[in-house]
Amino acid sequence: QVQLEESGGGSVQAGGFLRLECLASGTIDVVNHMGWFRQAPGKQRDLVASASSDGTPNYASSVKGRFTISRPTVNTAVLQMNFLKLEDTAVYYCHYYDNRDYWGQGTQVTVSS
């Protein structure tokens, strides 16, 4: 089993920044992917950014150039979100994958005008 602990999130004005961190514990495989998905009310859960344990990133087109994902260790993922927009408002979920899927409980990000 893998447990995911999320931190960060909150409320910010448009143009501001926030940082999300995710810590994975338990039976971690050193070869894995970690990242963030988000879900706005009435919408499906979509990928925001993910990275393999060697740091190779993958971004949704809507966040490229504004968000940066990093993997400081094989069991952590950090999402730096800059130039936030109203449409970035959602619940953000940490995700871990190594042929097994695990999800965090989610953290709210609210961007206001």
Side-chain angles (χ1 to χ4, degrees), residues 5 53 82:
E5 181 179 348
S53 43
N82 297 331

Side-chain angles (χ1 to χ4, degrees), residues 30-50:
V30 295
V31 179
N32 62 61
H33 281 76
M34 289 183 69
W36 297 89
F37 285 67
R38 67 187 179 188
Q39 187 168 20
K43 296 189 176 181
Q44 66 181 23
R45 189 177 297 187
D46 292 323
L47 173 71
V48 176
S50 68

Side-chain angles (χ1 to χ4, degrees), residues 58-111:
N58 178 41
Y59 295 99
S61 58
S62 60
V63 306
K64 279 183 180 178
R66 300 188 298 121
F67 292 10
T68 302
I69 188 168
S70 60
R71 299 290 310 275
T73 65
V74 296
N75 67 329
T76 57
V78 177
L79 184 67
Q80 180 66 40
M81 305 185 291
N82 297 331
F83 305 109
L84 283 160
K85 303 177 179 181
L86 298 179
E87 52 264 40
D88 293 321
T89 295
V91 177
Y92 284 68
Y93 296 91
C94 179
H95 178 248
Y96 170 97
Y97 177 78
D98 66 2
N99 292 319
R100 302 171 295 167
D101 272 303
Y102 291 96
W103 295 91
Q105 63 182 13
T107 185
Q108 178 70 44
V109 171
T110 302
V111 185

